Amino acid sequence: MKLTVFGATGGIGKEIVRQALDAGHEVTAVVRDTARLPLTGDRLEVFRADLTDPGALRPAVAGRDAVLSGLGARGRGDAGVAARLTRTVLAALEAEEVRRLLVVSAAPVGPEPEGDGFLDRAVRGIVSAVLKDIYADLRVMEAEVARGDVDWTVVRPPRLQDKPVTGRYRTVVGGFPLRGRFIGRADVAHAMLGMIGDPATVKEGVGVAY
């Protein structure tokens, strides 16, 4: 497949690029700073852009089978970046009539799993309060994606870890895995790549966790 990855220098985005190349796909990695992407390969194109102009992004998405985005805030001071940048990406996709889009959000933005215990609910409430600005941004981003003229999937992981791909994670379309507290960034990337051709995930939020 021909794929474009936004947020390619972030933890999840970098893993998407790495795993997509390993799987034999052609990848365009959209970055603001090329020095922050240490990956190379014959099937990798690094496209430098600041993500403020949809027109400038059109060559990066034209003719692609799917676009995957790991765009999001790196910290509380970046709240607002996910919705703003994703809006630009959506405009570029719609201009080029590219249909498939997968984006990363976060578990607290989606529905709580039925049957979750008191501890999980309490921890989720505390985290949501501390990161309320980031989650508010992600809710706006999800709403923007849902209004777009694309076949979208929103992937909602819980707390992220740095660990190798395991493939041993759970996904719930339209919900979230019960007692799903952690997941590795590499496994989020693995799940997103696996969802590209899965019609059950189109126009759905998908919870993913161990």
Side-chain angles (χ1 to χ4, degrees):
M1 288 186 292
K2 294 182 178 180
L3 308 177
T4 293
V5 181
F6 287 90
T9 60
I12 293 174
K14 195 179 300 180
E15 279 295 331
I16 295 173
V17 174
R18 188 195 318 276
Q19 293 178 39
L21 289 173
D22 288 347
H25 302 305
E26 295 181 23
V27 181
T28 297
V30 182
V31 302
R32 283 174 282 188
D33 181 0
T34 57
R36 292 184 58 203
L37 186 66
L39 303 175
T40 59
D42 294 339
R43 286 171 279 101
L44 174 63
E45 175 192 7
V46 180
F47 188 97
R48 188 176 179 276
D50 63 6
L51 305 187
T52 59
D53 178 9
L57 297 180
R58 290 180 63 173
V61 302
R64 297 313 191 270
D65 298 301
V67 172
L68 300 95
S69 173
L71 294 170
R74 297 181 183 275
R76 294 169 65 185
D78 292 332
V81 70
R84 185 173 68 253
L85 298 184
T86 301
R87 193 175 298 123
T88 307
V89 172
L90 275 168
L93 264 64
E94 291 171 357
E96 291 296 331
E97 299 183 345
V98 176
R99 297 295 308 173
R100 193 71 174 107
L101 173 66
L102 299 95
V103 301
V104 176
S105 184
V109 179
E112 293 187 1
E114 294 184 12
D116 241 2
F118 172 78
L119 178 60
D120 289 291
R121 294 197 305 272
V123 170
R124 188 161 44 245
I126 293 170
V127 172
S128 295
V130 171
L131 301 178
K132 62 180 180 180
D133 292 339
I134 290 177
Y135 293 147
D137 176 32
L138 290 173
R139 289 186 181 92
V140 174
M141 183 270 288
E142 288 198 14
E144 293 278 352
V145 169
R147 283 195 294 267
D149 186 22
V150 293
D151 294 331
W152 55 269
T153 298
V154 171
V155 181
R156 300 179 180 131
R159 184 176 174 182
L160 296 168
Q161 300 176 325
D162 287 319
K163 59 190 304 181
V165 176
T166 70
R168 296 189 298 272
Y169 50 81
R170 297 171 291 153
T171 59
V172 177
V173 177
F176 192 77
L178 186 64
R179 290 184 290 278
R181 298 167 184 169
F182 305 96
I183 191 167
R185 290 175 176 84
D187 273 326
V188 176
H190 186 270
M192 291 178 71
L193 288 167
M195 292 177 198
I196 292 174
D198 184 356
T201 67
V202 173
K203 298 192 176 180
E204 293 280 1
V206 182
V208 55
Y210 295 139

